[in-house]
DNA sequence: CCCTTGTTGAACAGTGGTGTACGAGTTACT
DNA sequence: AGTAACTCGTACACCACTGTTCAACAAGGG
């Protein structure tokens, strides 16, 4: 799914696979730095000719999509290690700890994708990660630990955007990166607390 | 400050002022719809020749900057009407009610500015509005109504990004625009509640 | 070892934008 | 009424990027 699987009978040659891998990695890096990175830029960073790149990805949009899919897949795999059982608030804390850096780093890449891909496509690509968070948040709501007067998707959106707050603050030099995770969890846990209940310390 | 005041002894002619006003308004509109709007596009929307536009704004960056400044100034003026005295939480609610739509509408314009202007310039332009919010939040922190374990700038950032959450959710068709303000204030007030204290209902 | 598959740079056409120049026409201020 | 300020369209030079073609060369697989 990461790579264009357009009707190909025999497997790709080894060097082609290497090229594709290099291109994807370079694309993720370049687009994460600058959402408007050109195809030439990416090809050069991948140590590959521009023509070669076009041999694997028909146009820039497809390349960006593949890069985003690649990054998401990687992140998704990395988060499989996180233990989401037990106390819901602690589970959420663990999830934030391991995911906020990933989210932060892919911010610019996501922006690139948004300018080139239809919103539906982007939502599809995010289906996996969203599902994981959604399950956790819903469990918290069912247990009464998280508020239910706001929709699940809203809470997920808030969590996501609070991570962006951290990125902004760090970028502006107003927040020490080491403190970021703590700020995020403190804020999210408070925001998720049901009305009338005490905010966890 | 809204208009290029580059050393001009005698006042501009009336029609020039009209042109500038039309251009600024058109620029705000166009850039709010599409952050990559071209100069031609903006000129056309303003009912003005492209050359005329260049007569008033030397380049695209200056135009974008002027548009952002214009929008901010307008918003700032509109918010002067909001009563920020009395109960801090209620004051914040009032402020959110009147400002979230403005913030939402200028999202794309801000994005345009970010791709063309240095961060410092953007922060300067926002100085006015930020100051207003900062005063209110600081007061809340001093009174013990808002938490002080997180920095003031963080809380402001959170408030800002929660508004963005609303925009995202509306855009995705998952939130009724009429409910947005309520969701935002509920979330922000909870996030601002000091640890150990009850979340307001 | 040979043939297929990949890779490469250079070159080209096309697109869509920015900013400038010019000359003729129009509109406001005094 | 006259002059300076303003506007307009066209045209131009320029640039950066996209996507394609070509012909020569390199490398993997059976």
């Amino acid at each position: 799914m990461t790579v264009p699987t357009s009707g190909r009978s025999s497997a790709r040659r080894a060097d082609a696979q290497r090229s594709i891998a290099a291109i994807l990695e370079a694309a993720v890096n370049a687009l994460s730095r600058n959402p408007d990175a050109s195809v030439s830029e990416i090809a050069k960073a991948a140590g590959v000719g521009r023509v070669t790149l076009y041999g694997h990805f028909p146009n820039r949009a497809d390349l960006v999509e593949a890069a985003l899919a690649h990054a998401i897949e990687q992140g998704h795999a990395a988060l499989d290690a996180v233990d989401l059982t037990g106390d819901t608030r602690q589970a959420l804390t663990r999830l934030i700890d391991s995911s906020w850096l990933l989210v932060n780093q892919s911010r610019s890449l996501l922006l690139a994708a948004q300018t080139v891909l239809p919103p539906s496509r982007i939502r599809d690509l995010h289906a996996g990660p969203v599902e994981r968070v959604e399950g956790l948040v819903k469990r918290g709501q069912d247990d009464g630990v998280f508020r239910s007067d706001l929709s699940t998707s809203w809470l997920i959106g808030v969590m996501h955007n609070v991570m962006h707050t951290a990125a902004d603050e760090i970028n502006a030099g107003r927040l020490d990166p080491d403190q970021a995770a703590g700020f995020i969890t403190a804020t999210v846990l408070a925001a998720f607390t049901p009305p009338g209940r005490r905010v966890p310390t």
Side-chain angles (χ1 to χ4, degrees), chain A:
Chain A
M1 277 301 158
T2 306
V3 149
T5 46
S6 30
R8 167 169 293 272
S9 48
S10 62
R12 278 195 217 314
R13 242 174 52 181
D15 57 351
Q17 292 181 21
R18 259 180 285 137
S19 288
I20 292 176
I23 291 170
L24 280 179
E25 199 164 334
V28 170
N29 278 334
L31 293 171
S32 293
R33 266 190 285 278
N34 168 22
D36 295 325
S38 71
V39 175
S40 324
E41 225 171 308
I42 295 172
K44 197 179 300 177
V48 140
R50 197 167 62 97
V51 187
T52 302
L53 192 157
Y54 274 110
H56 294 297
F57 304 91
N59 53 52
R60 193 176 181 282
D62 279 36
L63 173 60
V64 172
E65 173 168 347
L68 180 62
H70 183 68
I72 289 179
E73 201 176 335
Q74 292 247 329
H76 195 59
L79 294 183
D80 271 338
V82 179
D83 173 24
L84 294 184
T85 63
D87 180 86
T88 316
R89 276 195 288 247
Q90 284 178 16
L92 188 65
T93 302
R94 285 193 294 270
L95 185 59
I96 290 175
D97 276 347
S98 351
S99 65
W100 92 267
L101 240 180
L102 294 177
V103 171
N104 182 15
Q105 284 168 345
S106 320
R107 240 164 62 117
S108 165
L109 170 57
L110 180 58
L111 198 65
Q114 281 169 342
T115 71
V116 175
L117 269 47
S120 59
R121 193 85 202 86
I122 294 184
R123 234 178 300 140
D124 290 352
L125 291 172
H126 275 90
V130 164
E131 207 175 324
R132 164 184 278 128
V133 184
E134 198 174 19
L136 183 59
V137 173
K138 269 199 175 124
R139 200 183 88 204
Q141 287 182 310
D142 289 344
D143 296 351
V145 177
F146 296 159
R147 65 197 305 170
S148 295
D149 60 329
L150 304 177
S151 65
T152 309
S153 76
W154 171 267
L155 294 185
I156 295 175
V158 167
M159 175 173 152
H160 196 251
N161 278 288
V162 170
M163 294 186 191
H164 282 202
T165 305
D168 290 341
E169 290 295 299
I170 290 174
N171 221 309
R174 291 187 294 252
L175 177 61
D176 174 8
D178 295 338
Q179 290 192 296
F183 272 45
I184 297 171
T185 56
T187 305
V188 170
L189 288 181
F192 282 17
T193 302
R197 297 272 296 271
R198 294 188 189 279
V199 170
T201 50

